[in-house]
Amino acid sequence: HTDREEDYRFLHSMLMEKKLHLLFKVKTRLCYKDLMTHPAAPFLCFQLAEELIDQGWRDEVKELVALFSKPNFKILLAVHDAVAQRDFEPRLPPIPDDALEDDEDSVKIVSLVKTKDPLGATIKRDKSTGAIVVARIMRGGAADKSGLIHEGDELKEVNGVPLEHRKPKEILTLLVQNNESIDYKQCAFSFVTCLSLFMQALFDYDPNDDPTVPSKDAAVAFKRGDVLRIVSMEDDTWWQACHLGDSNTRAGLIPSQQLHERSPIATCPSVSFPAGLRRSFRLGRKSSLAREAARSRRWSTGVHSSICPPTYKEVIPYHRDPRDRHRLVVLVGPSGVGVNELKRRLLISDPDHFGVTVPYTTRERRRQETEGVDYHYVSIHKFEEDILNHRFIEYGRYKGHYYGTSLDSVHRVMAEGKVCLLDVHPNKIKHVYTSEFKPYMVFVKPPRIDELRLTRRRAKFICDEEDKTSVRIFSEEDFEDMINLAETIESQCGHLFDKVIVNGDMAEVLRELKVDLEKVEEADVQWIPAKWSCSSPTKARRSCGHLDGWI
Ligand SMILES: Nc1ncnc2c1ncn2[C@@H]1O[C@H](COP(=O)(O)OP(=O)(O)OP(=O)(O)O)[C@@H](O)[C@H]1O
């Protein structure tokens, strides 16, 4: 008997539950239907096949015999036998008569059969009441599948042992004891909703290295770039997630985005990159003034120690139709790291597949140059008009002439059906980081300084294409600048990169990049930022706007 409206509501929703109706139907069928109870259907099947063969080896007989000998058909028959004999394993012990006391009308007894899998739940002591409560239920785990245990439920007893004044550790010992089943006496109900969205990890995580994780066994390890299916964000600190494609459907704990935000290193100062003109415009390396600025900023802001690490990026699956244009491939890296060299070698390796943009300039065409091959030659008036109309991804002025890469030139390469290779300054990424280009972002990183010294021994830094005398060898300072700038770029834009490649041995790097690009092109599913889709799944479920703050 109850007068409480919420009890009525609970009962009503439970009785109206479709799953419950289906279960009743199954039960009725099992109880009343006259099932064939012969215990050896697979054997009968074998006998029948033999009899059929005696009748002559006709096509129909051949087909039937082939069907009977298939392992899945045999298993189906074995399952039929098990069901027909009502041989449902395992048998649960009866609930003790004295289990329910009169005053415990909201207590339920839950009996779960132990399997090799863990229960998939964590418990904690409620600080205010001292009660032992279920802290988390791992989605897909035994507790979740049972539908009988919920987050917030209070545990009263385990296998008849009262839990009052017991520490969570002692309770865990009770749970792992060698019983076939576990009986829980618990009260209170709470309902959880199931969520499913995808996050790409932007950092490596190993619970064994994390002293703050509530349970190492319940946590999921992952690597940067892994796509995780998030099934619960109800806890501010620990989300629940599964690895994509993991056959194990049980979710585990991963640190939430908020957990990082709450950490003392959560403030994220905005750092801009030293502006420099890329050599892809034949403009030489960044000016000494810009280098000075970069160096002074490096020492004055202490930027490297105060930037918060990237956490997750919400992603959605993208299935590229073969008729669709290829994704743009964007190469980013500090000046001198080898972005142009990599681009050039990729292009030479397969000029029918890869393409590069032709820059625009206002300078005079030279005798050996060809319009549309070396440059597009335009007037100053036209160039400035295009600047005002935001047609350039990047542009700059050198020795009185404008140079720039336009969005149109990217479109042109893509329209030819080629993979457009583009190198951009980190400050300009935003111009191409759009659903229109769906860029695959590659960060070209310098190796450690000793490897830089070794590999760049003979490499020259061309300062000015027009003045060949300005070719010079990398200095120690150039290497340091390169490494420091790479660190800044990675900490500021790391969340945007799909691939990080360390440019040590050029031949090896080229091979690695080609394999990676091929893999991306051939993949059935590619993962792209959810913000490139008009209907991000989170918009419908819950706001995850803070993630966008990273871009
Ligand atoms: N892995 C490598 N091993 C040896 N030399 C390299 C390697 N990568 C690049 N280089 C050499 O380093 C020099 C600079 O490379 P590159 O012009 O590609 O730099 P960049 O990143 O495009 O810089 P910028 O944007 O300033 O032009 C070139 O002489 C190039 O051949």
Side-chain angles (χ1 to χ4, degrees), residues 42 45 66-80:
C45 204
L67 183 76
F68 285 169
S69 44
K70 285 204 167 133
N72 30 3
F73 190 76
K74 285 184 190 164
I75 287 173
L76 183 73
L77 292 175
V79 170
H80 167 273

PDB file of all heavy atoms in Angstrom, residues 42 45 66-80:
ATOM      1  N   PRO A  42      20.751 -31.941 -32.471  1.00  0.00           N
ATOM      2  CA  PRO A  42      21.853 -32.019 -33.433  1.00  0.00           C
ATOM      3  C   PRO A  42      22.064 -33.447 -33.937  1.00  0.00           C
ATOM      4  O   PRO A  42      22.355 -33.670 -35.109  1.00  0.00           O
ATOM      5  CB  PRO A  42      23.070 -31.543 -32.625  1.00  0.00           C
ATOM      6  CG  PRO A  42      22.507 -30.760 -31.502  1.00  0.00           C
ATOM      7  CD  PRO A  42      21.183 -31.370 -31.193  1.00  0.00           C
ATOM      8  N   CYS A  45      19.424 -34.463 -36.369  1.00  0.00           N
ATOM      9  CA  CYS A  45      19.725 -33.759 -37.600  1.00  0.00           C
ATOM     10  C   CYS A  45      20.736 -34.546 -38.443  1.00  0.00           C
ATOM     11  O   CYS A  45      20.595 -34.710 -39.646  1.00  0.00           O
ATOM     12  CB  CYS A  45      20.309 -32.405 -37.217  1.00  0.00           C
ATOM     13  SG  CYS A  45      20.118 -31.235 -38.451  1.00  0.00           S
ATOM     14  N   ALA A  66      24.352 -29.658 -46.538  1.00  0.00           N
ATOM     15  CA  ALA A  66      25.320 -28.575 -46.298  1.00  0.00           C
ATOM     16  C   ALA A  66      24.828 -27.671 -45.187  1.00  0.00           C
ATOM     17  O   ALA A  66      25.599 -27.247 -44.307  1.00  0.00           O
ATOM     18  CB  ALA A  66      25.517 -27.769 -47.590  1.00  0.00           C
ATOM     19  N   LEU A  67      23.518 -27.396 -45.186  1.00  0.00           N
ATOM     20  CA  LEU A  67      22.937 -26.525 -44.155  1.00  0.00           C
ATOM     21  C   LEU A  67      23.036 -27.180 -42.781  1.00  0.00           C
ATOM     22  O   LEU A  67      23.448 -26.533 -41.800  1.00  0.00           O
ATOM     23  CB  LEU A  67      21.461 -26.264 -44.525  1.00  0.00           C
ATOM     24  CG  LEU A  67      20.703 -25.316 -43.608  1.00  0.00           C
ATOM     25  CD1 LEU A  67      21.126 -23.883 -43.889  1.00  0.00           C
ATOM     26  CD2 LEU A  67      19.206 -25.449 -43.821  1.00  0.00           C
ATOM     27  N   PHE A  68      22.713 -28.486 -42.705  1.00  0.00           N
ATOM     28  CA  PHE A  68      22.759 -29.191 -41.423  1.00  0.00           C
ATOM     29  C   PHE A  68      24.170 -29.244 -40.857  1.00  0.00           C
ATOM     30  O   PHE A  68      24.361 -29.311 -39.655  1.00  0.00           O
ATOM     31  CB  PHE A  68      22.253 -30.631 -41.589  1.00  0.00           C
ATOM     32  CG  PHE A  68      20.753 -30.720 -41.744  1.00  0.00           C
ATOM     33  CD1 PHE A  68      20.154 -31.908 -42.138  1.00  0.00           C
ATOM     34  CD2 PHE A  68      19.942 -29.618 -41.488  1.00  0.00           C
ATOM     35  CE1 PHE A  68      18.772 -32.007 -42.267  1.00  0.00           C
ATOM     36  CE2 PHE A  68      18.569 -29.703 -41.634  1.00  0.00           C
ATOM     37  CZ  PHE A  68      17.974 -30.895 -42.028  1.00  0.00           C
ATOM     38  N   SER A  69      25.176 -29.259 -41.739  1.00  0.00           N
ATOM     39  CA  SER A  69      26.539 -29.410 -41.211  1.00  0.00           C
ATOM     40  C   SER A  69      27.183 -28.077 -40.844  1.00  0.00           C
ATOM     41  O   SER A  69      28.299 -28.045 -40.356  1.00  0.00           O
ATOM     42  CB  SER A  69      27.408 -30.176 -42.212  1.00  0.00           C
ATOM     43  OG  SER A  69      27.165 -29.691 -43.489  1.00  0.00           O
ATOM     44  N   LYS A  70      26.470 -26.961 -41.065  1.00  0.00           N
ATOM     45  CA  LYS A  70      27.055 -25.657 -40.682  1.00  0.00           C
ATOM     46  C   LYS A  70      27.109 -25.529 -39.161  1.00  0.00           C
ATOM     47  O   LYS A  70      26.136 -25.853 -38.485  1.00  0.00           O
ATOM     48  CB  LYS A  70      26.204 -24.521 -41.247  1.00  0.00           C
ATOM     49  CG  LYS A  70      26.404 -24.351 -42.727  1.00  0.00           C
ATOM     50  CD  LYS A  70      26.056 -22.970 -43.159  1.00  0.00           C
ATOM     51  CE  LYS A  70      26.585 -22.780 -44.555  1.00  0.00           C
ATOM     52  NZ  LYS A  70      25.688 -22.216 -45.457  1.00  0.00           N
ATOM     53  N   PRO A  71      28.258 -25.061 -38.619  1.00  0.00           N
ATOM     54  CA  PRO A  71      28.374 -24.990 -37.149  1.00  0.00           C
ATOM     55  C   PRO A  71      27.298 -24.107 -36.513  1.00  0.00           C
ATOM     56  O   PRO A  71      26.777 -24.437 -35.454  1.00  0.00           O
ATOM     57  CB  PRO A  71      29.769 -24.399 -36.918  1.00  0.00           C
ATOM     58  CG  PRO A  71      30.368 -24.172 -38.256  1.00  0.00           C
ATOM     59  CD  PRO A  71      29.457 -24.631 -39.315  1.00  0.00           C
ATOM     60  N   ASN A  72      26.939 -22.984 -37.181  1.00  0.00           N
ATOM     61  CA  ASN A  72      25.944 -22.112 -36.526  1.00  0.00           C
ATOM     62  C   ASN A  72      24.571 -22.777 -36.453  1.00  0.00           C
ATOM     63  O   ASN A  72      23.810 -22.565 -35.517  1.00  0.00           O
ATOM     64  CB  ASN A  72      25.853 -20.726 -37.162  1.00  0.00           C
ATOM     65  CG  ASN A  72      26.167 -20.704 -38.615  1.00  0.00           C
ATOM     66  OD1 ASN A  72      26.413 -21.754 -39.197  1.00  0.00           O
ATOM     67  ND2 ASN A  72      26.149 -19.552 -39.225  1.00  0.00           N
ATOM     68  N   PHE A  73      24.288 -23.657 -37.461  1.00  0.00           N
ATOM     69  CA  PHE A  73      23.003 -24.355 -37.423  1.00  0.00           C
ATOM     70  C   PHE A  73      23.004 -25.373 -36.287  1.00  0.00           C
ATOM     71  O   PHE A  73      22.031 -25.519 -35.560  1.00  0.00           O
ATOM     72  CB  PHE A  73      22.749 -25.043 -38.773  1.00  0.00           C
ATOM     73  CG  PHE A  73      21.355 -25.572 -38.910  1.00  0.00           C
ATOM     74  CD1 PHE A  73      20.294 -24.711 -39.173  1.00  0.00           C
ATOM     75  CD2 PHE A  73      21.099 -26.919 -38.744  1.00  0.00           C
ATOM     76  CE1 PHE A  73      19.006 -25.198 -39.266  1.00  0.00           C
ATOM     77  CE2 PHE A  73      19.810 -27.404 -38.849  1.00  0.00           C
ATOM     78  CZ  PHE A  73      18.758 -26.553 -39.114  1.00  0.00           C
ATOM     79  N   LYS A  74      24.168 -26.040 -36.132  1.00  0.00           N
ATOM     80  CA  LYS A  74      24.281 -27.039 -35.055  1.00  0.00           C
ATOM     81  C   LYS A  74      24.106 -26.365 -33.692  1.00  0.00           C
ATOM     82  O   LYS A  74      23.437 -26.889 -32.805  1.00  0.00           O
ATOM     83  CB  LYS A  74      25.653 -27.717 -35.114  1.00  0.00           C
ATOM     84  CG  LYS A  74      25.764 -28.720 -36.239  1.00  0.00           C
ATOM     85  CD  LYS A  74      27.105 -29.401 -36.145  1.00  0.00           C
ATOM     86  CE  LYS A  74      27.399 -30.229 -37.365  1.00  0.00           C
ATOM     87  NZ  LYS A  74      28.791 -30.592 -37.465  1.00  0.00           N
ATOM     88  N   ILE A  75      24.726 -25.181 -33.564  1.00  0.00           N
ATOM     89  CA  ILE A  75      24.631 -24.464 -32.281  1.00  0.00           C
ATOM     90  C   ILE A  75      23.183 -24.032 -32.036  1.00  0.00           C
ATOM     91  O   ILE A  75      22.673 -24.109 -30.927  1.00  0.00           O
ATOM     92  CB  ILE A  75      25.611 -23.281 -32.257  1.00  0.00           C
ATOM     93  CG1 ILE A  75      27.019 -23.850 -32.098  1.00  0.00           C
ATOM     94  CG2 ILE A  75      25.323 -22.305 -31.130  1.00  0.00           C
ATOM     95  CD1 ILE A  75      28.125 -22.881 -32.207  1.00  0.00           C
ATOM     96  N   LEU A  76      22.528 -23.631 -33.117  1.00  0.00           N
ATOM     97  CA  LEU A  76      21.133 -23.210 -32.987  1.00  0.00           C
ATOM     98  C   LEU A  76      20.291 -24.364 -32.430  1.00  0.00           C
ATOM     99  O   LEU A  76      19.461 -24.185 -31.535  1.00  0.00           O
ATOM    100  CB  LEU A  76      20.604 -22.778 -34.365  1.00  0.00           C
ATOM    101  CG  LEU A  76      19.188 -22.249 -34.381  1.00  0.00           C
ATOM    102  CD1 LEU A  76      19.139 -20.861 -33.769  1.00  0.00           C
ATOM    103  CD2 LEU A  76      18.657 -22.185 -35.807  1.00  0.00           C
ATOM    104  N   LEU A  77      20.543 -25.562 -32.942  1.00  0.00           N
ATOM    105  CA  LEU A  77      19.795 -26.726 -32.459  1.00  0.00           C
ATOM    106  C   LEU A  77      20.125 -27.030 -31.004  1.00  0.00           C
ATOM    107  O   LEU A  77      19.247 -27.385 -30.214  1.00  0.00           O
ATOM    108  CB  LEU A  77      20.110 -27.947 -33.337  1.00  0.00           C
ATOM    109  CG  LEU A  77      19.579 -27.869 -34.773  1.00  0.00           C
ATOM    110  CD1 LEU A  77      20.047 -29.065 -35.566  1.00  0.00           C
ATOM    111  CD2 LEU A  77      18.063 -27.797 -34.794  1.00  0.00           C
ATOM    112  N   ALA A  78      21.419 -26.868 -30.652  1.00  0.00           N
ATOM    113  CA  ALA A  78      21.826 -27.118 -29.262  1.00  0.00           C
ATOM    114  C   ALA A  78      21.138 -26.127 -28.340  1.00  0.00           C
ATOM    115  O   ALA A  78      20.678 -26.484 -27.244  1.00  0.00           O
ATOM    116  CB  ALA A  78      23.345 -27.000 -29.141  1.00  0.00           C
ATOM    117  N   VAL A  79      21.026 -24.876 -28.782  1.00  0.00           N
ATOM    118  CA  VAL A  79      20.353 -23.847 -27.968  1.00  0.00           C
ATOM    119  C   VAL A  79      18.878 -24.230 -27.836  1.00  0.00           C
ATOM    120  O   VAL A  79      18.277 -24.119 -26.760  1.00  0.00           O
ATOM    121  CB  VAL A  79      20.515 -22.451 -28.618  1.00  0.00           C
ATOM    122  CG1 VAL A  79      19.624 -21.423 -27.927  1.00  0.00           C
ATOM    123  CG2 VAL A  79      21.963 -22.008 -28.565  1.00  0.00           C
ATOM    124  N   HIS A  80      18.317 -24.720 -28.924  1.00  0.00           N
ATOM    125  CA  HIS A  80      16.914 -25.139 -28.881  1.00  0.00           C
ATOM    126  C   HIS A  80      16.717 -26.182 -27.786  1.00  0.00           C
ATOM    127  O   HIS A  80      15.795 -26.113 -26.980  1.00  0.00           O
ATOM    128  CB  HIS A  80      16.493 -25.701 -30.245  1.00  0.00           C
ATOM    129  CG  HIS A  80      15.190 -26.422 -30.187  1.00  0.00           C
ATOM    130  ND1 HIS A  80      15.104 -27.753 -29.862  1.00  0.00           N
ATOM    131  CD2 HIS A  80      13.918 -25.986 -30.368  1.00  0.00           C
ATOM    132  CE1 HIS A  80      13.826 -28.107 -29.844  1.00  0.00           C
ATOM    133  NE2 HIS A  80      13.087 -27.049 -30.164  1.00  0.00           N
TER     134      HIS A  80
END
